[in-house]
Amino acid sequence: MTLRKVSDKLLRELLDEPDLVLDFVDEEVPANQELDLDKAWHGLHFMLTGSDWEGSELFAYLLAGGEFIGNEEDHDLGYGPARGLTSAEVSRFASALDSLSEPEFKVRYDSAAMDELEIYPLDWSKEEKPEEIVEWLATSFKELKKFVREAAAAKQALLIYM
């Protein structure tokens, strides 16, 4: 999963002309404009929401927030179309993330529930060192929090895609 900072104006252009997103996601951007969550995305979502694909609105923004850019048939970027969060939504997402401390985030780890819900990348309870997995997810959480906070401070929108 990748998050990319964009302006509200550019997000509106992509929503109005979704074919543009196909080339846009391949463009090089400065490192501080993009965050690659790699395989942590689904574990992060679970630990934020306690669910596989749903959850309370603000914490579910990672997987369910914003507006789809185009459709699955014509604008699939690998795992469906991109979604865009407006700068106002990014601000609300940043506030929600900031309301959750790292220790509070870590105690939400539940490998059995994650396995039952088939949270990618699967087999969480088979890990020999679960504390390392929790640290990996906590590090990803800190990166997500920082990235979204910076986007909110700059009044930027976000493009989210896989």
Side-chain angles (χ1 to χ4, degrees), residues 93-152:
F93 189 30
S95 293
L97 293 173
D98 281 340
S99 74
L100 184 63
S101 71
E102 185 178 336
E104 291 170 322
F105 176 81
K106 285 180 174 182
V107 299
R108 293 174 174 214
Y109 182 77
D110 182 342
S111 61
M114 293 166 84
D115 285 345
E116 186 176 319
L117 292 172
E118 297 181 349
I119 302 297
Y120 179 82
L122 306 179
D123 297 326
W124 298 90
S125 53
K126 292 183 180 175
E127 290 293 332
E128 291 181 20
K129 297 183 179 179
E131 65 280 357
E132 289 180 5
I133 297 300
V134 172
E135 283 306 315
W136 169 63
L137 289 167
T139 297
S140 296
F141 173 64
K142 286 186 280 191
E143 291 170 354
L144 174 65
K145 222 173 161 172
K146 179 179 183 280
F147 187 80
V148 174
R149 186 184 309 120
E150 289 171 353

Side-chain angles (χ1 to χ4, degrees), residues 62-76:
L62 197 56
L63 290 187
E67 189 174 340
F68 282 106
I69 298 175
N71 60 61
E72 293 237 5
E73 185 176 313
D74 299 321
H75 307 100
D76 186 339

